[in-house]
């Protein structure tokens, strides 16, 4: 959501809250207190929603990594793999994990 739209919606919510409190109580002091309380509650809700989105994206990426890991498993062989093959696979996994970590840092 663009900042201008967010700012307008926030202003409309706070103004409507102030008007409804004023018509209910006819007290400017109550209006100021209620509007500040509404503003703090909106900020807390925004912070909580951002935290929720961050946690959810972490869970989704971990689930994707697990699915990718299980999808990349090879068939079970009766003979043990060569040492060179194991070394190459672990190096490839390490390089892929490093690239994934770098890509998470980029915007």
């Amino acid at each position: 959501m663009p900042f201008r739209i967010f700012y307008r919606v926030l202003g409309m919510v706070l103004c409507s809250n102030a008007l409804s409190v004023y018509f209910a109580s006819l007290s400017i002091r109550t209006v100021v207190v209620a509007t500040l309380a509404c503003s703090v509650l909106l900020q807390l809700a925004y912070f909580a929603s951002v935290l929720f989105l961050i946690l959810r994206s972490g869970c989704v990426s971990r689930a994707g990594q697990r699915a990718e890991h299980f999808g990349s498993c090879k068939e079970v062989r009766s003979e043990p793999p060569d040492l060179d093959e194991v070394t190459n696979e672990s190096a490839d996994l390490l390089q892929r994990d490093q690239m994934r970590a770098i890509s998470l840092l980029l915007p």
Side-chain angles (χ1 to χ4, degrees), residues 39-57:
S39 175
V40 169
L41 285 175
L42 286 172
Q43 289 177 18
L44 286 174
Y46 177 75
F47 181 73
S49 65
V50 168
L51 259 175
F52 173 73
L53 290 174
I54 290 171
L55 291 174
R56 191 177 74 174
S57 69

Side-chain angles (χ1 to χ4, degrees), residues 10-102:
L10 179 67
M12 286 175 33
V13 167
L14 291 177
C15 286
S16 65
N17 177 49
L19 286 174
S20 63
V21 168
Y22 180 73
F23 287 127
S25 68
L26 297 175
S27 170
I28 297 295
R29 182 177 292 170
T30 307
V31 169
V32 170
V33 170
T35 304
L36 287 175
C38 181
S39 175
V40 169
L41 285 175
L42 286 172
Q43 289 177 18
L44 286 174
Y46 177 75
F47 181 73
S49 65
V50 168
L51 259 175
F52 173 73
L53 290 174
I54 290 171
L55 291 174
R56 191 177 74 174
S57 69
C59 292
V60 168
S61 68
R62 276 187 255 130
Q65 288 174 355
R66 278 191 225 116
E68 182 178 303
H69 172 72
F70 288 123
S72 67
C73 290
K74 296 180 180 175
E75 293 180 15
V76 178
R77 295 184 242 167
S78 59
E79 60 188 48
D82 295 335
L83 182 60
D84 292 335
E85 186 177 326
V86 171
T87 307
N88 288 341
E89 284 182 18
S90 63
D92 290 342
L93 288 174
L94 179 63
Q95 183 178 9
R96 187 177 68 204
D97 289 342
Q98 288 174 345
M99 293 301 290
R100 187 175 296 133
I102 290 172

